[in-house]
Amino acid sequence: MLPLAIVCAAFAGQFAFIGNSPLVLMEGYHVPTEHFGFYFSTVAVALMLGSLAGSRMLRAGRSPTALVVTGATIVVVGAVLVSVGTRVGLGIPGFLVPMCIYFFGAGIAGPSAGALALAPAAHLAGTASAALGFLQMIAGAVAGYVSTKLGGADPTLFATIATVMGVITWLLALAVATRSPGSDTSRSVRRE
């Protein structure tokens, strides 16, 4: 359940950005509409780079649990930096660079957390994967709704939501690491 919660918490922060970034960037920071796609795509590139980095770390022998902790630590750093950047008025760089860090960390942690969550239900892989995706989307939808409805174009409320999700992700990752540093689940995922 802990790896499942990690996937949901990290994705909630990502989806808060996906839902709220048009308001924050175009209304809050006055980014022209025709430039929004460029700004938005930077986090997608960061997510892909994080996934590639995680894949390389797995091939180098790092355990999925280690990747979850590493990625979650990067997520929480990005989350705290976006809170600082939006509160001290660093503008677009104070908003976007930390979110790239957050997405990079999510790219590292997410796949390994998903694998750890699905490992106990390998005999029901399709159903378990569908349930994981469903719960992930619910978490994202709630975070996106809350960030857009309550925060609108205000980057500080968005940053608060991202920070809360980042801290939750990190604390859950630490719980996974202390619960199963060398458990059968970790070893079975590594073999696959």
Side-chain angles (χ1 to χ4, degrees):
M1 295 308 285
L2 288 173
L4 171 65
I6 291 168
V7 171
C8 290
F11 191 74
Q14 291 174 282
F15 221 82
F17 177 85
I18 291 167
N20 203 226
S21 63
L23 295 171
V24 171
L25 287 170
M26 291 190 286
E27 292 179 23
Y29 290 122
H30 308 291
V31 168
T33 306
E34 61 271 12
H35 296 160
F36 172 74
F38 167 75
Y39 291 103
F40 188 79
S41 68
T42 59
V43 297
V45 170
L47 183 67
M48 288 186 289
L49 291 173
S51 291
L52 289 170
S55 174
R56 285 181 163 223
M57 286 187 259
L58 278 172
R59 282 195 305 272
R62 302 266 318 263
S63 73
T65 302
L67 265 65
V68 168
V69 173
T70 300
T73 302
I74 295 169
V75 164
V76 78
V77 168
V80 169
L81 289 175
V82 78
S83 280
V84 171
T86 57
R87 281 173 177 71
V88 299
L90 296 177
I92 293 172
F95 173 72
L96 199 57
V97 171
M99 287 314 298
C100 286
I101 294 168
Y102 185 107
F103 273 70
F104 181 80
I108 293 172
S112 288
L116 290 173
L118 295 174
H123 61 288
L124 299 168
T127 303
S129 181
L132 175 83
F134 172 76
L135 294 171
Q136 185 178 11
M137 289 299 157
I138 293 295
V142 169
Y145 178 81
V146 169
S147 67
T148 56
K149 288 298 178 187
L150 296 181
D154 179 18
T156 57
L157 180 69
F158 162 78
T160 300
I161 293 168
T163 300
V164 168
M165 293 299 101
V167 168
I168 290 170
T169 301
W170 184 64
L171 291 173
L172 290 167
L174 293 179
V176 166
T178 58
R179 178 186 64 85
S180 62
S183 73
D184 292 336
T185 301
S186 180
R187 282 189 296 258
S188 70
V189 172
R190 199 175 314 128
R191 275 186 256 131
E192 293 174 57

